[in-house]
Amino acid sequence: MSRIILKLSGEALAGSKGTGFDEETVRGVALQVKTLVDKGTQVGVVIGGGNFWRGRTGTEIDRVKSDQIGMLATVMNCIYVSEIFRGEGMLTNILTPFEIGGFTKLFSKDRANKYFERNMVVFFAGGTGHPYFSTDTGVLLRAIEVDADAVLMAKNIDGVYDSDPAKNKNAVRFDRLSIDDVISRNLQVIDMTASILARDNKMPLRIFDLNEKDGIIRAASGDFNGTTITVD
């Protein structure tokens, strides 16, 4: 694949601390991404904000304001992770769907493509820029807009199961699954809006465990322990 979009869970980046950042984890991600970039793969990155704020954390406040806080959490994550990437010798830029002074650049497809052509890792922060949409929807939207080959989703779990493995010790993991099955069985791998975007725009996904050794590199190659979601 020549261009991928990597979705990182905010909680996964926090490691065992559960909040904030675990630098060792983030640096491990950076080294894997650098391996891909050095081989000529163009990489975009979307990061969730769950290590700081979940969309419904503040149930006592307005949902729109809560979602805006979540969007800003993703910006903080991208600024931090981008700097770790730079420390490992990569060029980066951060794009957002809204203006944030000199912190980021405003997203456009042309600008993103220009950065990709310069071998930069492009961070897409701020979600869609609108409330009521998750970063799952944001990553699918950006992947479709910039003509990515696939979305790689790094999580705290090694793929998609038929039930919650934390509650059911007999839960079965799928190695391969169609997006139609995800939607019809309501497997909640990604939210429904993101699932429909993936289906209608034929954007495949690979779900894997961020903590697996070389998990990102292996997911990019297709030889990985996880779940491939097909859109044929």
Side-chain angles (χ1 to χ4, degrees):
M1 292 187 291
S2 61
R3 181 178 293 179
I4 61 171
I5 306 297
L6 174 64
K7 167 70 187 306
L8 298 170
S9 158
E11 294 96 321
L13 291 181
S16 60
K17 296 191 299 183
T19 187
F21 305 108
D22 180 76
E23 186 169 338
E24 183 178 353
T25 299
V26 178
R27 200 167 298 281
V29 169
L31 291 171
Q32 291 187 67
V33 171
K34 188 174 190 303
T35 297
L36 295 176
V37 172
D38 287 347
K39 291 180 178 178
T41 302
Q42 297 174 341
V43 181
V45 179
V46 172
I47 308 175
N51 52 327
F52 288 113
W53 186 265
R54 299 292 298 178
R56 294 174 179 80
T57 299
T59 54
E60 73 283 1
I61 69 172
D62 180 74
R63 169 67 187 271
V64 172
K65 299 303 181 185
S66 180
D67 284 358
Q68 287 172 344
I69 295 169
M71 290 178 218
L72 292 175
T74 72
V75 175
M76 291 192 297
N77 281 346
C78 284
I79 291 172
Y80 176 83
V81 176
S82 169
E83 285 304 300
I84 299 296
F85 277 33
R86 286 176 178 237
E88 295 301 329
M90 287 174 278
L91 300 173
T92 68
N93 242 307
I94 304 170
L95 301 179
T96 49
F98 41 77
E99 297 276 9
I100 317 182
F103 290 10
T104 67
K105 300 286 181 59
L106 193 62
F107 169 80
S108 75
K109 176 175 181 174
D110 289 343
R111 179 170 280 159
N113 284 334
K114 179 178 70 176
Y115 293 155
F116 281 131
E117 289 163 7
R118 294 178 180 176
N119 297 319
M120 292 182 172
V121 177
V122 183
F123 287 81
F124 299 106
T128 67
H130 299 283
Y132 298 97
F133 292 99
S134 71
T135 50
D136 285 345
T137 299
V139 71
L140 263 299
L141 181 63
R142 293 294 177 249
I144 293 161
E145 285 180 298
V146 301
D147 302 312
D149 297 312
V151 172
L152 310 185
M153 304 194 79
K155 294 179 172 285
N156 277 326
I157 188 171
D158 63 343
V160 181
Y161 286 77
D162 62 352
S163 58
D164 187 347
K167 299 178 180 178
N168 177 14
K169 65 179 182 180
N170 296 315
V172 176
R173 189 187 74 188
F174 298 101
D175 292 329
R176 198 171 185 85
L177 191 65
S178 76
I179 191 66
D180 288 327
D181 284 337
V182 170
I183 293 170
S184 64
R185 298 175 66 163
N186 193 29
L187 291 174
Q188 300 180 351
V189 183
I190 52 177
D191 66 48
M192 190 61 71
T193 303
S195 296
I196 292 171
L197 272 174
R199 182 196 65 188
D200 292 352
N201 294 277
K202 299 191 179 304
M203 181 59 63
L205 299 94
R206 295 174 182 175
I207 317 295
F208 63 99
D209 186 351
L210 180 62
N211 297 309
E212 181 183 353
K213 180 174 173 55
D214 294 330
I216 296 170
I217 295 170
R218 296 184 64 188
S221 73
D223 178 22
F224 71 110
N225 295 317
T227 303
T228 297
I229 298 178
T230 62
V231 290
D232 298 330

